[in-house]
Amino acid sequence: MHYDPDRNDHGLPFNPFKACVIPRPIGWISTVSPAGVHNLAPFSQFQNLTFDPPYVMFAANQNTLGKRKDTVVNSEQTGEFVYNMATYDLREAVNRSAAEVPPEVDEFELAHVTKAPSIRVKAFRVAESPVQFECRTHQTLRLPGNGLMGTVDVVIGRVVLIHIRDDVIGADGRLDILKIRPLARLGYYDYTTVDSLFEMVIPGENENLLIGLEGAAGGTK
Ligand SMILES: Cc1cc2nc3c(=O)[nH]c(=O)nc-3n(C[C@H](O)[C@H](O)[C@H](O)COP(=O)(O)O)c2cc1C
């Protein structure tokens, strides 16, 4: 089958689009408002963009009132945000923090997670998350959308400090992903977690290409 997304004439009981781009990592984004209210929300429209220097992005649609989400407003007004890695163990807290609540609500309290101070930015980190990036907002790109919620703010941030909990670094010096069990979004109400992995190396002799993928410390960062 095929269908035109402008017409959504797929004939299926649910829109299949999001289930076609999977699994999506969840950027669990913390911010603080200029008034000092701490905010936390998950975004599965999240990715790294490059690595030297590292940039990440999250894309926030408008809320159900047609307004920009608090995370976007805060990251624009303060120029900062924090990415916290979402894990299987933290799934209920991640879900709680997605509730649409007024900007005056402290969403760390709503999610029942602990605030850890950051070093370079004012927004707090989620202490229970094994990996966090302190980010400075680089640019917000607004993409036009259909209807109230379709419009999206793509927030790009430069990563200025990276925190990794010591116990998730394995004896081989790599992140122990099977211990972390990152949480990822699928379509519908479905999620998955990373519970298996395998290695592949690109064929050929291009050392720089290989070092770039492996992330070898002496290589291209
Ligand atoms: C796992 C998960 C992923 C989500 N991903 C997105 C997303 O990519 N973009 C978005 O606009 N909303 C997403 N949401 C909904 C937001 O988290 C929700 O609207 C939240 O209330 C926004 O909070 P804020 O207004 O404090 O920024 C997601 C929710 C969940 C549970």
Side-chain angles (χ1 to χ4, degrees):
M1 59 88 84
H2 58 261
Y3 74 99
D4 176 341
D6 275 339
R7 306 211 329 231
N8 261 341
D9 52 354
H10 45 70
L12 300 170
F14 301 101
N15 188 326
F17 172 74
K18 290 183 185 173
C20 296
V21 189
I22 54 161
R24 294 186 305 284
I26 297 173
W28 202 14
I29 307 296
S30 45
T31 53
V32 61
S33 73
V37 183
H38 290 278
N39 195 87
L40 182 64
F43 294 90
S44 74
Q45 297 170 145
F46 170 84
Q47 255 306 344
N48 73 306
L49 291 168
T50 179
F51 53 87
D52 184 19
Y55 281 83
V56 294
M57 58 129 286
F58 63 91
N61 296 91
Q62 310 307 285
N63 68 19
T64 56
L65 305 170
K67 299 249 164 58
R68 298 166 88 211
K69 294 197 176 175
D70 296 337
T71 306
V72 175
V73 174
N74 291 346
S75 60
E76 282 242 295
Q77 291 187 344
T78 63
E80 345 171 306
F81 64 88
V82 172
Y83 154 74
N84 305 273
M85 186 186 275
T87 64
Y88 181 76
D89 287 348
L90 292 167
R91 66 195 180 284
E92 297 293 349
V94 169
N95 204 28
R96 277 195 294 272
S97 71
E100 189 172 310
V101 292
E104 302 77 45
V105 175
D106 183 320
E107 293 182 321
F108 278 72
E109 288 176 12
L110 185 78
H112 306 149
V113 291
T114 315
K115 292 172 180 137
S118 297
I119 295 173
R120 303 249 175 105
V121 303
K122 289 198 185 68
F124 283 133
R125 299 174 288 134
V126 175
E128 290 83 354
S129 170
V131 174
Q132 309 111 2
F133 298 168
E134 298 185 25
C135 304
R136 289 206 205 288
T137 308
H138 171 75
Q139 190 181 343
T140 306
L141 187 71
R142 199 166 166 89
L143 303 181
N146 296 320
L148 199 66
M149 287 162 67
T151 302
V152 72
D153 295 305
V154 182
V155 181
I156 298 171
R158 179 171 174 168
V159 180
V160 295
L161 203 68
I162 296 174
H163 300 258
I164 303 171
R165 212 172 57 212
D166 293 342
D167 71 285
V168 299
I169 301 178
D172 61 359
R174 301 181 193 207
L175 258 67
D176 187 342
I177 294 303
L178 300 183
K179 182 171 183 182
I180 293 174
R181 299 189 74 193
L183 189 66
R185 270 288 284 144
L186 303 172
Y188 319 110
Y189 287 134
D190 298 340
Y191 291 78
T192 190
T193 180
V194 180
D195 54 13
S196 70
L197 55 86
F198 61 92
E199 264 193 4
M200 284 204 298
V201 179
I202 300 177
E205 305 298 324
N206 188 335
E207 294 256 316
N208 283 336
L209 187 61
L210 296 178
I211 288 169
L213 269 188
E214 189 188 29
T220 58
K221 300 184 184 174

